[in-house]
Amino acid sequence: MADLKVPRLNKCIFSGRIGNDVELKYTPKGTPVVRFVVACDRRYKDETEQWQTATSWIDCVAWRKWAEFIANQTHKGSAVIVEGRIETRNWTDQNNQNRKTTEVIVDVLHSLEWKPREEGVTPPNEEVPLPAEETLHHNTTTDDVPF
């Protein structure tokens, strides 16, 4: 029997609304981090053919630039699309109980609502804005344009 090579793929994409107040925190080494939950609804028909809604609450963690972006540009109730990877971690709590959590580590977050940008805050990987229209006209010429 041949060895089956399985690709290492851990990617999830989902949309919903942020379900808690977003608070930017810092690790002891100064790394920005934000924890938030996204409510994702699923509609289905029950046994009586009536539409029902089931909500999944997905724990998310964002680091560095994405943490700052989320803290400054979103709020409880913001509609978002989250791209990330699923991670599970274990720890022992203060009562010496073993605990486990599964959360999405945010790779990219798309805000589906516009919020005025605070001075100096730009989303990671944002493209440079186009110049104002007046600037474009200033540099153009109609000399010898064949069309």
Side-chain angles (χ1 to χ4, degrees):
M1 184 180 202
D3 253 351
L4 178 63
K5 295 195 180 208
V6 179
R8 291 185 173 103
L9 180 62
N10 181 352
K11 179 79 170 178
C12 60
I13 301 172
F14 55 94
S15 65
R17 293 194 177 271
I18 294 177
N20 62 306
D21 292 323
V22 179
E23 181 183 351
L24 183 63
K25 295 186 177 182
Y26 295 89
T27 65
K29 291 184 178 180
T31 305
V33 62
V34 68
R35 301 179 65 78
F36 61 101
V37 64
V38 175
C40 296
D41 291 340
R42 179 179 64 87
R43 303 260 306 153
Y44 65 95
K45 283 189 178 182
D46 64 15
E47 60 278 350
T48 64
E49 295 297 311
Q50 298 298 310
W51 281 103
Q52 302 294 325
T53 301
T55 303
S56 295
W57 296 88
I58 301 172
D59 292 323
C60 301
V61 179
W63 295 91
R64 298 174 185 77
K65 294 272 187 201
W66 281 114
E68 292 171 338
F69 173 73
I70 293 164
N72 288 311
Q73 299 297 315
T74 67
H75 53 81
K76 182 177 181 179
S78 290
V80 295
I81 297 173
V82 177
E83 296 180 41
R85 65 185 185 281
I86 298 171
E87 287 191 4
T88 301
R89 56 189 175 87
N90 301 298
W91 77 96
T92 303
D93 68 13
Q94 59 205 23
N95 298 324
N96 210 27
Q97 297 292 313
N98 291 331
R99 305 290 304 254
K100 179 179 181 177
T101 190
T102 301
E103 51 205 4
V104 173
I105 307 303
V106 176
D107 291 328
V108 178
L109 183 130
H110 305 274
S111 179
L112 300 178
E113 298 173 349
W114 182 83
K115 179 179 171 184
R117 184 176 301 148
E118 292 180 20
E119 191 66 32
V121 177
T122 57
N125 304 324
E126 182 181 16
E127 293 182 11
V128 176
L130 294 172
E133 196 167 353
E134 308 85 64
T135 308
L136 290 174
H137 290 305
H138 178 70
N139 293 331
T140 57
T141 180
T142 57
D143 295 348
D144 298 315
V145 178
F147 48 94

